[in-house]
Amino acid sequence: AQSVTQLGSHVSVSEGALVLLRCNYSSSVPPYLFWYVQYPNQGLQLLLKYTSAATLVKGINGFEAEFKKSETSFHLTKPSAHMSDAAEYFCAVSGQNQGGKLIFGQGTELSVKP
Amino acid sequence: NAGVTQTPKFQVLKTGQSMTLQCAQDMNHNSMYWYRQDPGMGLRLIYYSASEGTTDKGEVPNGYNVSRLNKREFSLRLESAAPSQTSVYFCASRPPGTVSGNTIYFGEGSWLTVV
């Protein structure tokens, strides 16, 4: 069975500081991994995805994530936080032949302090 | 380009009432999904439909029914609403093909409160 764990339900950073949101997964098959962002009262927007190509994946809004198979991790980073990055972030996993169904982590709320 | 459209956006129900959440996508996607989002639990799959005419249970199907009316539309019905079904509901769809790495696109969500 697949699962996703996001470490830290709330993360607070100062504007301009590094953003690091942690995601670990478990999967018995090579996974596809996703990060979605949700702004207040809105739907989910794809930030980036890993689909077995390059292990370092670049997404929108300056975010990137690195797939580390040995650590079963897919942490999300951004070098310099902006106030507009304040949102909830979800890591999700999908396996091959799973019909595209996503298993989500519990989410991490990112706050950015001025 | 509307993408995935859900209605209604907000709804308050009394315990025991029934209602249907409507979802339509205009991207010619085969697969459609219904998720619910609860604080601290992420999104959990209620039902999904791999193609027109097929539906399957997800992680939390109890208390819900679905209908894949045609390729565009996938509705979620609560037959007898319970307070535990207070949640935010998201419809989603995925492009055709067998690659699970295809991106899933989400609607804007439906906020449901059962009192």
Side-chain angles (χ1 to χ4, degrees):
Chain A
Q2 296 168 314
S3 66
V4 175
T5 301
Q6 291 182 238
L7 298 176
S9 58
H10 292 89
V11 170
S12 181
V13 301
S14 297
E15 192 172 20
L18 171 71
V19 175
L20 171 60
L21 304 182
R22 299 178 187 273
C23 173
N24 288 89
Y25 70 92
S26 68
S27 177
S28 58
V29 297
Y32 299 105
L33 293 158
F34 304 79
W35 275 100
Y36 281 85
V37 60
Q38 183 182 32
Y39 298 102
N41 299 320
Q42 294 188 22
L44 278 73
Q45 179 183 5
L46 181 71
L47 271 178
L48 50 80
K49 65 180 180 181
Y50 166 76
T51 57
S52 73
T55 56
L56 181 62
V57 181
K58 294 187 183 298
I60 62 172
N61 301 338
F63 284 93
E64 62 182 36
E66 186 172 8
F67 172 68
K68 292 187 176 180
K69 184 177 180 180
S70 61
E71 299 178 7
T72 61
S73 69
F74 190 57
H75 301 331
L76 182 72
T77 61
K78 182 174 180 177
S80 177
H82 191 272
M83 297 295 291
S84 61
D85 294 327
E88 188 152 22
Y89 293 79
F90 292 95
C91 182
V93 64
S94 175
Q96 295 178 21
N97 302 318
Q98 295 294 313
K101 292 177 287 182
L102 290 177
I103 306 298
F104 284 87
Q106 73 272 33
T108 298
E109 184 175 355
L110 175 67
S111 301
V112 182
K113 299 175 291 186
Chain B
N1 189 359
V4 180
T5 303
Q6 297 179 227
T7 56
K9 191 169 180 70
F10 300 98
Q11 183 73 49
V12 179
L13 286 178
K14 293 182 179 179
T15 297
Q17 287 185 319
S18 62
M19 77 158 297
T20 299
L21 298 175
Q22 307 286 354
C23 175
Q25 51 89 11
D26 62 1
M27 298 177 283
N28 199 35
H29 290 174
N30 285 348
S31 300
M32 297 185 73
Y33 311 83
W34 275 105
Y35 285 87
R36 60 176 288 173
Q37 181 182 17
D38 302 290
M41 303 188 74
L43 280 79
R44 292 178 293 168
L45 183 65
I46 305 171
Y47 271 93
Y48 70 100
S49 171
S51 62
E52 182 180 352
T54 67
T55 61
D56 286 287
K57 296 178 180 179
E59 182 184 354
V60 288
N62 290 345
Y64 304 95
N65 286 301
V66 290
S67 294
R68 184 72 183 269
L69 304 171
N70 48 55
K71 190 170 186 178
R72 290 187 64 249
E73 299 172 289
F74 187 40
S75 62
L76 179 71
R77 183 163 178 83
L78 286 69
E79 292 290 353
S80 179
S84 61
Q85 294 178 302
T86 294
S87 187
V88 184
Y89 291 85
F90 287 97
C91 180
S93 68
R94 186 174 72 92
T98 59
V99 179
S100 292
N102 284 350
T103 300
I104 289 182
Y105 295 86
F106 286 85
E108 291 291 303
S110 297
W111 275 253
L112 177 64
T113 301
V114 183
V115 297

